[in-house]
Amino acid sequence: MNAATPGPILVIDAEQSVARRLNDWLRADGFEVVVADGADSGFAVARDIRPALVLGELGLTLASGSQLLRSLLHELPDTSVIVVTETASLDEAVTALQEGASDFLIKSLLNEDILRVSVQRAMERRNLRLENRHYREMLEQTNERLQHSLQLLEHDQRAGRQVQNRLLPPTPHESNGLTLCHFTLPSLYLSGDFVDYFSLGPGRTAFYLADVSGHGASSAFVTVFLKALTNRIRRQFEKRTKVSTLSPGRMLQTMNDELRELGTGKHLAVFFGVIDTNADVLNYAIAAHYPPPMLYQDGEVTQLPGQGLPLGLFPEARFDEHQVSLSRRFSLLALSDGILEVLPAGELAAKEAVLRAEAAAAGGELDVLVERLGLQEVRDVPDDIALLMIKRDE
Amino acid sequence: MNAATPGPILVIDAEQSVARRLNDWLRADGFEVVVADGADSGFAVARDIRPALVLGELGLTLASGSQLLRSLLHELPDTSVIVVTETASLDEAVTALQEGASDFLIKSLLNEDILRVSVQRAMERRNLRLENRHYREMLEQTNERLQHSLQLLEHDQRAGRQVQNRLLPPTPHESNGLTLCHFTLPSLYLSGDFVDYFSLGPGRTAFYLADVSGHGASSAFVTVFLKALTNRIRRQFEKRTKVSTLSPGRMLQTMNDELRELGTGKHLAVFFGVIDTNADVLNYAIAAHYPPPMLYQDGEVTQLPGQGLPLGLFPEARFDEHQVSLSRRFSLLALSDGILEVLPAGELAAKEAVLRAEAAAAGGELDVLVERLGLQEVRDVPDDIALLMIKRDE
């Protein structure tokens, strides 16, 4: 199949002297030659030895000859053909070349040099054709292989996504008169953004939105750790008989310590809050969470102040706690910073203004907000996106 | 680019009457026709309008003519050429067809029917060529796209694998005079097998090997949960001042409860043990772990008895504890069931026998065992593989 050893040449000629002459010339040039004494027997031999080149009298003046040539080229696409004839017939030449012969030579004009040039050109064309076909086959095989690998990984990631979805809380969820909803949109399949909320007993509901550095599988791992940690906290509260509360600042401290101990090399931004529905107070702490959470009540949107170090980096990090009074009707919205990538380009201040306006316009309805931000249609987001909405309507 | 609207046909002929006749015939067949009155000007027009077909006198008897044809076909690979000449020259016909013209017609013999057949055939060949090229381009583009998606996912999974590797304990690790080692080989990038070990204080070392159902990202998630859980247990022991011990049976119970609460839909097999190096006793419990762990001491390999339900499925599962006396020198080997897939085909009993023999032959050296089992060379394992080896040499 390569140029150096192209395979044998089949010479077809009824005249022994012509066949011998062609044979001698070709052997002198280093080719392996097989001789057949007629078109029909030649075709049988060709099928058998699959020559690189068939050279000879194919009787193209007869209808059967051009049919033979067509069959030969169809059955043996890797074989080139040079037609050699007695007579200089234009019709015959046009037919032969149109059928795919690579040259048309007249016996009486044939000499060693003419043959050499013609054979060389036929071999070159054949190599080009072979390379072309091999390239296409290689492409097809590569395609299949890539498709297979991709399916394997996609299947794997989808299975991972399913498990991750099971770790997310129900949406919507009712707790102590609050309605809590979330929406997550992973950049790939697995999300480094995570949301959870749970009751700490009568009158107290905890929630958080976390954004692990990076995205995809490695970041998603850390969300499992978060879930395991907060499950444990929730269990502790479920077991308690006396009313007690959870400190958001200390919660972030615990997350920081245990994340550092886990040693994933990942850090994360978290907005953690506890709503006391008896005292109508939101108590929260922030670890590098951006954009600021927004509280919509009494016809106004307020960005909740507060900042703090990201979790997982600094051993002695401490986190300030903040209190906000809540009206009877309010909605609280937190978003991971992935949202900034899908807002119209502009300064951060402008994007924050857009979010404030959207928070007011959505009026506590997460579905409406998702629709207004076009998040159902958006594809290939560069970063994970998570939204958490908490509202009280009464 | 399709057969229905192949684009214009460029007719080149210096004789106005011939050009008009060709023009009329072709228009009657519904083709758009552009006429040029010579080869040179025709070529300029062809470059401009990129016709589907050039039909005409190209002056091939001159050297410049065949050069022109070659340039034309090279520059406009989507254009077919039918040569129309005054004279029936065999040389000219062979040259034209070899250069890639699709037909060679003699003016004096030309009529409407002959032209129609020739044009039709030229268009068919052109379509085949175009389809061929489009197919190849499509393959190339698909390849590129697949490659890109695959790289994205592979990169993601590799990043996940890195994080997972960080969750594994150091190997080898010394604890209370024991040497603990592990080896993991994921089926894909992320492993559902997991190993950990840690000191519970002076004279007590805990360890486990876990195999989450399935493999890949979804199973790997559960290993993060396991790590978070056992980190917590370890912390509790680090804080204690009085000597206390950990019950392997209760440990499995806790894992079962918390895994069920996590709700991943995954279940797992675990071999959990605590070695008391003062009393020389191994205390362990088994949850659906297979093949049985093997203890090699005093020149003999013993399969450790015990069975139990898998974790994550049954709400009230309880797990028996087993005790084994340890010699001063011993090695303990646990393997996940992925190992069975790379052993020579056979009954399970035969595979267990192979493992017992290998455990003895390795003599407590994990590297030797990995080498003997050929795990460094094995590719595309159908299931994750994990090995845990604990030995005392003194």
Side-chain angles (χ1 to χ4, degrees), chain A residues 98 135 140 235 261, chain B residues 98 121 135 140 235 261:
Chain A
Q98 279 188 333
Y135 177 63
E140 283 172 337
R235 267 195 313 275
E261 188 186 19
Chain B
Q98 278 188 333
R121 192 155 55 176
Y135 177 62
E140 284 172 337
R235 268 195 312 275
E261 188 187 18

Side-chain angles (χ1 to χ4, degrees), chain A residues 9 32 36 50 98 105 152 176 211 214 238 254 258 273 280 303 322 336 341 354:
Chain A
I9 295 179
E32 186 192 337
R50 309 183 85 78
Q98 279 188 333
L105 304 175
L152 208 70
N176 293 310
D211 180 353
E238 279 169 0
T254 303
E258 298 192 12
D280 288 337
Q303 289 187 338
H322 306 263
S336 67
E341 312 274 358
V354 169

